[in-house]
Structure formats: structure tokens, C-alpha cells
């Protein structure tokens, strides 16, 4: 197949998936409804007093759609504080506002606003009520806004972003609401966000065991008896259902469930045949569907061995990888899906079979494409903990207060993706890994990551490990897979 035909096929698949998802029934008034919230935002470049207020007049502001990277629109100037790492593009403060209405039919529902990512140091309000602050610019932000909504009246979401403290990174970060936004409406009894976790602990030639765990929240004031079931659809269209289970959930309580499905003659996910299954987990109340979530996953197994390296589905495979940042070059950080599709496809053409997200959580589209195109992934949570030259005004300022929240978010959003084979807890971390504090950061991160996903090994990109004696003092043995930047001869000699 020619590169152009393969590329066209990829783009067709992206469009098809979007159309297919838009046709998923919402099952009346009680089901989950996810609304694209990208269109018709108002934007103002600069800081302004009172822009969070419902009564603020934003008629003079620019109207645009997100994803939007306002920094890439600016002028290159060697005097800009972003310096070389930020491409000498501008930094500062920007404001976004969006008006919307909710019907009276939503008064009994739970409503959430979710930003796939905002760069950076975001503050968000709904109708003048402050929702919260988030320093991290690479991860989703989710707030429940139910109690602040006005029904059959105008509501206003206001977002202030601030990357004025520079240099904040060693690469181009972008600025603004640079990934997608959605409004999510659910029944008060609903699946906990990010709780659906699909694993394949036992894979044989003629069968595979699939486990689906999830958490269900009852935010209503009533104790209810609910049913739940997961339907799996194979790449070839075969449907398999789990047993239908009934449970009682108390008002204000959260329950956890585990379902098992046996799949006969599984279609394996591999880099050459990236077969994807689709699992739809549904919750019922008196036989009425009240919530559902769709997740794609792959059936495959892999392992790392010290003597022979990486094995995928029983085959010894040499990993040939490349690093990619979260931006799309000249388009900035608001990267269209077609740019990612072209880049991944071209990298496969030159022989790459693996990528590393350097050095941040990536866009959801990126993970989806790696799944569907058969590209292995090393996902990296942090570039810095508490210390980093050339980025000393970056996440290190917030790590101690935010690492646990951000590390959890980084894992639960991607753990169903079959392309991911490694978690990296840090890139060239400059904290003293021989100190008690440095070791504690690592151990806490490792413990949380393993708790959220025990199915993947953990690594780190160690910086000058020989000089830091990390091969001698036992630190390297704490990693499932040793990672090192530079000094390849030193690593081989160990």
C-alpha cells in the first residue's frame, strides 16, 4: 500500500470514528450525554479585572473555537522571556469566556465541565463561582458545576490562563485552551470518571480472559438497586456480554465492581495487526439505562527480559523508537488529528515501532492513533520534580503539592490503551536520588503508579547515573526497566 493511500485510510478512520461516536444513542433523558464544547469562545489576550463575573461585557473580545494556542500566533522576538526553549514566542495572561444555556430537563442531572488540557496555571469560574486552580498544563481538568448552573438562563464559563513566569520549560509549551473541551451530563448514579479499567490477565491461543473493573457513584439522596453489564464487541463484530449483576448502592456511596468475560479465539493486538476491541459498560435502574461508557482495548501480552530484551505476544522484538513532543511544529500545540496521523505513519515508514512522549502526558488523539496504527508507547509523567536547570520556574514550583493529583490523572486516562508498554516517572530528574527526600518522591510515585496500574513496568530516564552511583547504591534495582539518557558505554559496562 502506498504511503498516500495509507495516510488517506488513517484520516478516513478518524472521521469514521468521530461520526460513529456521534451516533451513539443517549437513551433518553437518563443517559450520559457528552457535548462538544469547542465552539464560540470569546478570547482576550492580556489580564483584565472582573472578567470572571457573569455580568462582564465581552462583546469586544475575539470570537474563536478551541483548541487554540495563542502563543504561536505571536511574534518571534529574542527578548521574549520564553527564551530559546519556548521558541522566543510570547508569554503572559489570556482570558476565555463562553456563554451557554441548560434546559430545565437537566435539573436532576449531574453536570461536569472537562478541559483536555489548559496551558497553564488555569483558574476557572462558572457564573462567577470559583471552581479551582491547576498549574499542570498537560492533563485534563474536570469540575462539577451542577449547583452553580442557571436553567433556561445564560451561564458563563470563564478561564484565566497564565504562563507569564518564564522560562517555564525547555521546549515550546504553547498557551491557552489548546486541547478540546466537553460538557458532560450524567444521572446522579453514574460511573466514576476514569474508573473503568480493562485488563487481559490470561491469554491463550483459543481464549482470553478480560476483566473489567469500575466504580459507581450514587450522588443522589436515595438508596437504589442498580444493574450493570459490559458488552464487548470484537474487531470482527462479534458481541460478547458479561453476566448481568444487581447491587444495592446507598445514597452518597461508591461501590466497586469486577466483571470477567471469556473471549474465544481472540484477535490479538500487535504492531502489524493492531486489533481493537470495544467495551461498553452500562448501568441500569429498573431496566432503564442511566449511564454508559465506551472504552477500546487490545488483547496482547508483553514482557521485558534482561538477557533477551522485549517480547510482544511471544515474539522477541527489538524496540526502534523516537521521541515526540506534544506540539505539532508550525501549528503549535493545538495539533489537528491529521498532523498526528501523518507523523506517526511516516515514523512507521522509516522503521520506528515505538515512541516516547517527551516529556509530558500527550493528547488523547495521539494515544488513540498509536493504538489504531500499531505503535508502541513509553508514557512519561513528569520532566521535573523539584529541581531542573533551564526550567527552574516550571512544574518544580508545584510538584510537592500536585504530584499525587497529576500522577493519578496521568495514569487513569491512558491505562486502557494497548500501545502503552512502559511508564516513566521522570526525565533526567535532578533531585538527589541518593537523599531520603529524593528516594521518597520516587517510591511514592512508584507506589501510586503500581496501585493504579499493576500491569505495566516502571522506568525513569536517569541522568548521569554513574556519577550519582545509582548502579551501585541500589536505586537502579528499584526500576522494573533501567532507563538512561546518554553514556551508553557506561551502561553496557555495568
Amino acid at each position: 500500500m502506498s504511503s498516500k493511500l495509507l495516510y488517506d485510510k488513517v484520516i478516513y478512520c478518524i472521521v469514521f470514528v468521530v461520526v460513529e461516536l456521534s451516533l451513539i444513542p443517549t437513551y433518553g433523558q437518563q443517559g450520559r450525554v457528552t457535548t462538544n464544547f469547542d465552539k464560540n469562545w470569546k478570547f482576550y489576550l492580556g489580564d483584565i479585572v472582573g472578567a470572571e463575573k457573569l455580568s462582564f461585557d465581552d462583546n469586544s473580545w475575539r470570537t474563536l473555537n478551541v483548541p487554540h494556542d495563542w502563543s504561536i500566533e505571536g511574534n518571534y522576538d529574542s527578548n521574549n522571556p520564553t527564551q530559546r526553549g519556548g521558541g522566543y514566542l510570547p508569554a503572559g495572561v489570556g482570558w476565555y469566556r463562553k456563554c451557554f444555556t441548560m434546559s430545565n430537563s437537566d435539573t436532576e442531572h449531574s453536570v461536569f465541565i472537562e478541559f483536555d488540557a489548559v496551558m497553564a496555571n488555569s483558574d476557572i469560574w462558572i457564573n462567577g463561582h470559583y471552581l479551582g486552580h491547576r498549574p499542570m498544563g498537560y492533563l485534563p481538568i474536570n469540575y462539577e458545576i451542577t449547583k452553580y448552573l442557571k436553567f433556561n438562563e445564560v451561564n458563563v464559563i470563564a478561564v484565566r490562563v497564565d504562563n507569564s513566569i518564564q522560562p517555564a520549560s525547555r521546549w515550546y509549551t504553547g498557551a491557552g485552551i489548546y486541547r478540546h473541551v466537553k460538557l458532560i451530563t450524567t444521572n446522579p448514579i453514574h460511573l466514576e470518571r476514569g474508573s473503568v479499567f480493562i485488563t487481559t490477565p490470561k491469554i491463550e491461543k483459543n481464549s482470553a480472559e478480560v476483566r473489567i473493573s469500575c466504580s459507581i457513584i450514587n450522588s443522589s439522596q436515595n438508596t437504589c438497586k442498580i444493574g450493570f453489564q459490559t458488552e464487548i464487541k470484537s474487531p470482527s463484530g462479534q458481541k460478547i456480554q458479561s453476566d448481568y449483576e444487581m447491587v444495592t448502592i446507598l445514597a452518597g456511596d461508591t461501590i466497586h465492581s469486577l466483571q470477567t468475560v471469556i473471549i474465544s479465539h481472540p484477535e490479538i493486538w500487535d504492531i502489524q495487526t493492531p486489533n481493537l476491541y470495544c467495551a461498553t459498560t452500562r448501568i441500569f435502574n429498573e431496566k432503564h439505562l442511566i449511564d454508559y461508557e465506551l472504552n477500546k482495548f487490545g488483547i496482547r501480552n508483553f514482557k521485558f527480559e534482561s538477557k533477551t530484551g522485549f517480547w510482544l505476544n511471544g515474539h522477541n522484538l527489538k524496540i526502534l523508537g523516537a521521541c515526540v513532543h506534544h506540539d505539532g511544529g508550525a501549528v503549535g500545540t493545538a495539533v489537528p488529528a491529521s498532523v498526528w496521523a501523518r507523523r506517526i505513519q511516516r515514523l512507521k515508514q522509516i522503521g520506528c515501532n515505538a515512541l516516547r512522549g517527551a516529556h509530558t502526558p500527550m493528547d488523547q488523539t495521539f494515544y488513540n492513533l498509536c493504538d489504531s496504527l500499531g505503535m508502541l508507547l513509553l508514557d512519561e509523567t513528569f520532566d521535573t520534580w523539584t529541581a531542573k536547570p533551564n526550567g527552574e520556574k516550571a512544574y518544580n514550583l508545584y510538584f510537592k503539592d500536585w504530584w499525587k493529583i497529576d500522577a493519578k490523572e496521568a495514569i487513569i486516562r491512558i491505562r486502557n490503551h494497548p500501545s502503552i508498554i512502559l511508564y516513566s516517572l521522570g526525565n533526567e530528574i535532578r533531585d538527589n536520588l541518593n537523599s531520603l527526600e529524593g528516594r521518597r518522591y520516587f517510591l511514592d510515585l512508584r507506589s501510586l503508579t503500581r496501585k493504579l496500574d499493576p500491569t505495566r513496568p516502571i522506568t525513569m530516564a536517569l541522568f548521569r547515573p554513574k556519577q550519582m552511583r545509582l548502579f551501585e547504591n541500589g536505586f537502579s534495582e528499584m526500576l522494573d526497566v533501567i532507563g538512561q539518557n546518554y553514556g551508553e558505554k557506561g551502561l553496557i559496562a555495568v
Side-chain angles (χ1 to χ4, degrees), residues 195-264:
S195 69
V196 178
F197 184 26
I198 303 170
T199 58
T200 53
K202 189 175 182 180
I203 302 172
E204 298 178 346
K205 183 178 181 180
N206 295 320
S207 68
E209 179 182 312
V210 179
R211 293 183 184 176
I212 308 101
S213 62
C214 69
S215 300
I216 303 166
I217 295 174
N218 182 3
S219 60
S220 75
Q221 298 180 356
N222 302 310
T223 295
C224 299
K225 193 171 185 179
I226 64 167
F228 56 93
Q229 186 177 52
T230 296
E231 177 188 272
I232 295 177
K233 187 175 182 181
S234 75
S236 58
Q238 180 185 6
K239 291 183 180 181
I240 312 103
Q241 287 186 334
S242 69
D243 293 334
Y244 186 85
E245 300 181 43
M246 296 288 295
V247 295
T248 298
I249 180 169
L250 302 176
D253 200 6
T254 299
I255 61 170
H256 308 283
S257 78
L258 177 64
Q259 299 173 303
T260 301
V261 176
I262 302 299
I263 295 179
S264 300

Side-chain angles (χ1 to χ4, degrees), residues 23-33 109 187 231 239 241 280-284 287-294:
L23 296 177
I24 292 174
T26 57
Y27 297 95
Q29 298 296 324
Q30 301 301 311
R32 174 180 296 254
V33 177
H109 293 168
N187 190 281
E231 177 188 272
K239 291 183 180 181
Q241 287 186 334
T280 304
T281 303
R282 298 185 174 100
I283 304 175
F284 301 86
K287 297 185 178 180
H288 297 291
L289 184 69
I290 57 175
D291 197 14
Y292 72 96
E293 184 174 309
L294 182 151

Side-chain angles (χ1 to χ4, degrees), residues 405-423:
I405 294 171
D406 292 334
K408 178 181 178 181
E409 184 67 43
I411 299 302
I412 64 171
R413 67 189 282 257
I414 61 170
R415 57 186 177 176
N416 291 327
H417 289 274
S419 54
I420 296 173
I421 58 170
L422 270 171
Y423 290 131

Side-chain angles (χ1 to χ4, degrees), residues 325-394:
H325 281 282
H326 75 301
D327 67 284
V331 302
T333 56
V335 186
S338 58
V339 171
W340 281 127
R342 180 179 183 273
R343 182 175 291 183
I344 295 169
Q345 184 260 334
R346 292 294 177 88
L347 285 167
K348 289 205 73 172
Q349 280 185 340
I350 65 172
C352 286
N353 58 22
L355 296 175
R356 172 192 183 196
H359 306 283
T360 60
M362 304 290 282
D363 182 10
Q364 195 63 47
T365 300
F366 173 79
Y367 298 111
N368 293 339
L369 284 167
C370 287
D371 288 344
S372 63
L373 293 175
M375 182 69 82
L376 302 172
L377 280 178
L378 182 157
D379 194 68
E380 201 150 55
T381 311
F382 301 114
D383 178 58
T384 178
W385 294 351
T386 66
K388 197 79 169 191
N390 303 318
E392 64 273 9
K393 298 178 182 177

Side-chain angles (χ1 to χ4, degrees), residues 81-88 138 165-173 359 383-384 386-397 427-428 430 463-464 486:
T82 53
Q83 300 179 12
R84 181 182 65 180
Y88 299 110
Y138 299 101
I165 301 177
Q166 294 288 336
S169 184
R170 299 175 298 112
W171 59 82
Y172 178 73
T173 64
H359 306 283
D383 178 58
T384 178
T386 66
K388 197 79 169 191
N390 303 318
E392 64 273 9
K393 298 178 182 177
Y395 190 75
N396 60 291
L397 301 175
N427 170 61
E428 298 183 8
R430 301 299 184 91
F463 179 73
R464 295 179 179 172
Y486 323 116

